[in-house]
Every structure is written in structure tokens, then in C-alpha cells.
Amino acid sequence: MFKNNNVKFLFAILLTAIISAGITFAVVQKDSGLSQAQGKSDDPFEKLYSTYDTLKGEFYQDTNQEKLVDGAIKGMLQSLDDPYSTYMDQEEAKGFNENISSSFEGIGAEVQESDGKIMIVSPIKGSPAEKAGLKPKDKILKVDDKSVEGMTVNEAVMLIRGEKGSKVQLVIERDGVGELDFNLTRDTIPLETVYTEVENGIGKVQITKFSETTGKELADALNKLNDQEVKGLVLDLRQNPGGLLDQAIAMSDIFVPKGKTIMQIENKDGSKEVQKSQNDSAVNVPVVVVVDNGTASAAEIMAGALNQSAGIPIVGEKTFGKGTIQTAKSFEDGSSIKYTIAKWLTPDGSWIHKKGIEPQHKASLPAYANLPYLNPDKELKQGDSSAEVKVAQQMLKALGYKNVKTDGFYEETTKNAVTQFQAKYSLKSTGTISGETTIKMLETLQAQLKENDTQMEEAIKVLNEQMQ
């Protein structure tokens, strides 16, 4: 399967996590009390220094020097109008570094600022966010009844994160659906980022993010698959929010022939750096890549490289579309700034920012994959009429209870279907949907989706055509 196992891994860390920042300043001018500037200075920072001195000396309450300085830094980054450039205080910087390099406790979803709102890029595999049914492009409106409007992503993340076992309630807005309530129990988000399985001689490799260990995990996984003599590989990059640039380059190097372009970096002055594969391709079996609208950043770099420079076909849905590179600068007090330093381009020079990558073979999941989450704490019963009832009816329909209406009114046929479902799974026969019944419906639907993964089926079909 492999031509050689001497895969070179690069470790020059360029961060590509998805965070943003923002701050608002309000100025009230009284009719008197503002002094006039005495001439114009050539020092562009005089106004900044003067403002600081004025507030320290004349503001009607005591001021905090650290907060004033932090606010000025936040304001500078916010003025860039770039959702990926931000200031992080000590606590936020610690959380950011944990997300890149180790496990952490929370709900397991990458978020960013989009048009002034906090948006989910992708839930992480096996996380509370994924199990609850949060989707890419969901916009977070409230956390535990507290509005996140006007917050930076860092501030919102600090509200969402918490100790394992603690609960958090989110109100999100989903396009075409409206507002939805999610009650999640926080958990430890694991370090492992590469998962494999073999089916009918085909190796399936799911990569969930690009952290410091992902390149080594992939190399180890491919070596194990080599021992099992698989005939082809499916690389699953769905719901992968990205991560470290160096890992994306090193992992692409395994598949892209030596000397071929992996990506291009376009600097501020327009100059371009071309990143080429440094090794002979280590894989010599057919490969297919699967993507969706949660495939972002470093995952898009890898998908683009494998497609354009190794001729590997892409299956699925258009990707997220993040085409910029970030780095970080840390300060002695533990705070840091993260800012965009360049664009990245695909091997053919395309900038996919806000556009995404279009797969050659389009495939969508069944419609029920996009059904909203149902809150197990909320009871749905005969006589109720609501959007939640309609969702429950659509779930029952997808699970094979064909006589159920999907009009949002909980009538006799819905109650009968629920009773049948409860009997099938040895649940208390109440005819109502709540608690264990809701959880079992969600779990059963998720298991059915795994068995009816139409995107993976299409990928295997394309792979089989290559293997013939």
C-alpha cells in the first residue's frame, strides 16, 4: 500500500483556529468641558496617549490600567474588520491553546464571528454538540438565557465552556427553521483526532481536526491499514473545522507526489510562497475525499491539495470557505493576540475564501439528517401543537412510522406511533415524548443515519470505479 513510511512532518506552528473579536466605544460630548487640541502633532500615538492620560486623571470613577490597555488593543484588532483577528486575555488564551494541543471540557464545537453573530463552524466528532444535533452555520443567540449579541467569540466561548457534567442551555438560530433550544451536558473533548475502520477491503479514515498530534495519528493509522492490505482509502473530512497549518501540509505530503504543489501563501505585498510536497507519495492505492459544509480551513487545504495535485476526487457538499492564515503573539502576562498574516491559495491559485470547494461528485445526506434537536426535558403530549411536535413527527416518519402526520399537531396517530416506539425499545408506555423516549429517538435516528450514510456510499462507489 505504501511506497515508504519515512513521512516528514513539519512543526512550524501557524495557527488557524476560528475566533474573532470586537468592542464598542460610546462617546458622550457635553456642551462644555472638552479642551481644544493645541496644534497638530506628528506622533500618530499622541491621541492614544492623551486619551489614556485623560481617562486615568479625569474619569469620574477609578479606572483599571489593565482594562484600559486591553480595551485599546481590542479596539485596534476590531478595526481590522477580520473575524479571525482577536485579543485574548490570560484565561481566553489558555482555553485557545488547550483547544489546539490537548483535551478540554465543554460542548465541543468550533465557533467564529459572522456578520456580528456567533456562528458554529463545526461540532467535533463524539462531542455533546454533535450528539445534540448542532449544525454548521447555526448562530448562537443566548447562553443560559444571556444574550451573546455584541460579544466577542472569546467571551461567548468562556460562557459555553465549563466543567464536565455541568449543563448549559443554548438558543440558536437555524436558517429555514428559526430559533431552537438546546440543553447540553458538558464533557471532556478528547485528544484523539483520527479514527479508522475497514469494510470490504476499503479503509475509512476520519480526521476530525488538525491538532499537534494529528499528523502522527494519521501516519500510524495508515500503517495499520497497510498491514490489513486495504485496496482503497476514503478520507472523511466532514465536520472538520481545521486547525494547524503545518499539520495540513505534512499530511497532504503523504498523498501528493514529490515536487507537486500543496498550497500557495499570498503575503501582504502580493508575493507568493509555494509549498511543495517534499516526499515521494507514501500511498499507492486509490483514494477519495469526502467533505461537507463543516469542512473548513486546514481541512480545505488538504482537500484542495489532494484533488488538484494528486488527482484525488472529492465527494459530498461544498465546503465552508476559509482561506486565510493566522499566527499568534503571546505577551509576558499570558495574554496574546491572534491575527491574520496571509491568504492561502489552492495549488492552481484559487482563493476559496467565503466560496468553498465544490466537490466533483455531489452527494447529500438524507433530509432527516438536518432535523433539529429535541429537548429531553420538554414533554410533548396529545393535544399539543408546536414546531417541536412537527420535528418529533418527522423523526418518527424517518424511523418508519408511516401513518404519522407531520403537521405539528399531536393527535391520535402520533400518540400511537410513540406508544409503538416505546414498546419496541422497552420504554415506559406513556404515549408522550420526553426524557428517555426523546433520547432514544435521537440515538436511534443517529444510528440509522450512520447506516444510511449516502455521502459515504457515493464515495465508496467512486472509489470502486477507480479500483476497477
Side-chain angles (χ1 to χ4, degrees), residues 58 60 72 84 99 105 119 355 366 369 389 419 422 458:
E58 300 179 25
Y60 83 106
Y84 305 108
N99 189 32
E105 293 180 350
M119 182 179 71
K355 300 174 184 175
V389 171
T419 303
Q422 290 169 330
E458 179 66 17

Side-chain angles (χ1 to χ4, degrees), residues 39-288:
K40 185 176 180 181
S41 171
D42 292 331
D43 183 357
F45 292 98
E46 182 180 356
K47 185 164 64 173
L48 179 64
Y49 300 144
S50 177
T51 300
Y52 173 82
D53 290 338
T54 299
L55 294 176
K56 282 288 290 182
E58 300 179 25
F59 187 64
Y60 83 106
Q61 292 180 335
D62 289 340
T63 57
N64 182 293
Q65 176 177 301
E66 184 178 344
K67 286 186 177 180
L68 287 175
V69 174
D70 286 356
I73 297 172
K74 287 181 180 180
M76 281 190 279
L77 287 157
Q78 189 272 341
S79 71
L80 299 174
D81 196 25
D82 174 28
Y84 305 108
S85 296
T86 184
Y87 170 76
M88 294 176 280
D89 62 26
Q90 292 93 326
E91 188 176 3
E92 292 166 342
K94 181 176 179 291
F96 171 74
N97 291 327
E98 286 176 348
N99 189 32
I100 288 295
S101 61
S102 65
S103 62
F104 60 94
E105 293 180 350
I107 67 168
E110 297 284 349
V111 296
Q112 73 163 60
E113 185 272 336
S114 176
D115 297 327
K117 294 189 176 181
I118 307 299
M119 182 179 71
I120 291 175
V121 176
S122 182
I124 297 170
K125 178 181 173 64
S127 68
E130 184 196 48
K131 293 174 182 177
L134 288 169
K135 303 290 184 184
K137 305 295 176 75
D138 281 349
K139 296 178 179 65
I140 300 174
L141 303 180
K142 294 181 180 179
V143 178
D144 289 335
D145 290 326
K146 185 173 183 178
S147 173
V148 298
E149 184 178 357
M151 286 188 183
T152 68
V153 169
N154 292 342
E155 291 166 341
V157 166
M158 298 313 293
L159 286 179
I160 296 168
R161 280 193 179 179
E163 293 183 358
K164 177 181 178 179
S166 62
K167 295 183 181 296
V168 62
Q169 182 182 45
L170 304 183
V171 177
I172 68 101
E173 181 182 45
R174 180 171 295 170
D175 290 344
V177 177
E179 291 188 11
L180 299 168
D181 292 329
F182 288 79
N183 287 289
L184 300 93
T185 301
R186 298 180 179 99
D187 202 349
T188 299
I189 311 304
L191 176 64
E192 187 177 4
T193 60
V194 178
Y195 302 81
T196 63
E197 64 176 295
V198 178
E199 182 180 346
N200 299 323
I202 292 175
K204 300 177 183 177
V205 183
Q206 183 180 23
I207 304 170
T208 60
K209 63 186 298 187
F210 290 75
S211 69
E212 290 178 343
T213 63
T214 306
K216 184 180 184 305
E217 286 183 59
L218 177 62
D220 291 343
L222 292 176
N223 285 333
K224 290 179 181 178
L225 292 174
N226 181 39
D227 293 341
Q228 297 178 65
E229 298 181 349
V230 297
K231 300 175 292 185
L233 292 172
V234 177
L235 289 183
D236 189 351
L237 297 178
R238 291 176 295 178
Q239 305 292 292
N240 185 319
L244 297 177
L245 174 63
D246 68 300
Q247 295 294 302
I249 293 173
M251 292 159 66
S252 299
D253 201 288
I254 298 173
F255 299 90
V256 175
K258 186 174 183 179
K260 292 279 191 177
T261 299
I262 291 175
M263 64 175 294
Q264 300 182 51
I265 298 174
E266 183 175 323
N267 298 308
K268 182 177 182 178
D269 60 4
S271 63
K272 294 180 181 177
E273 303 170 32
V274 180
Q275 302 288 327
K276 294 182 179 292
S277 176
Q278 301 296 312
N279 297 282
D280 292 325
S281 176
V283 177
N284 62 354
V285 297
V287 181
V288 170

Side-chain angles (χ1 to χ4, degrees), residues 8 13 29 58-59 73 81 83 109 118 141 146 185 216 362 405 408 432 438 440 447 449 452:
K8 179 182 178 183
I13 299 180
Q29 180 172 327
E58 300 179 25
F59 187 64
I73 297 172
D81 196 25
I118 307 299
L141 303 180
K146 185 173 183 178
T185 301
K216 184 180 184 305
K362 293 189 177 181
K405 298 177 182 179
T432 63
T438 305
K440 192 62 180 180
L449 182 61
N452 190 28

Side-chain angles (χ1 to χ4, degrees), residues 422-440:
Q422 290 169 330
K424 182 177 180 179
Y425 293 100
S426 302
L427 300 170
K428 187 176 180 180
S429 182
T430 62
T432 63
I433 302 173
S434 67
E436 291 184 350
T437 298
T438 305
I439 292 170
K440 192 62 180 180

Side-chain angles (χ1 to χ4, degrees), residues 383-394 397 403-414:
D384 288 348
S385 180
S386 66
E388 289 91 345
V389 171
K390 184 173 183 177
V391 169
Q393 291 172 328
Q394 291 171 318
K397 198 94 170 177
N403 292 330
V404 177
K405 298 177 182 179
T406 55
D407 57 4
F409 181 66
Y410 203 124
E411 36 61 82
E412 190 69 26
T413 57
T414 301

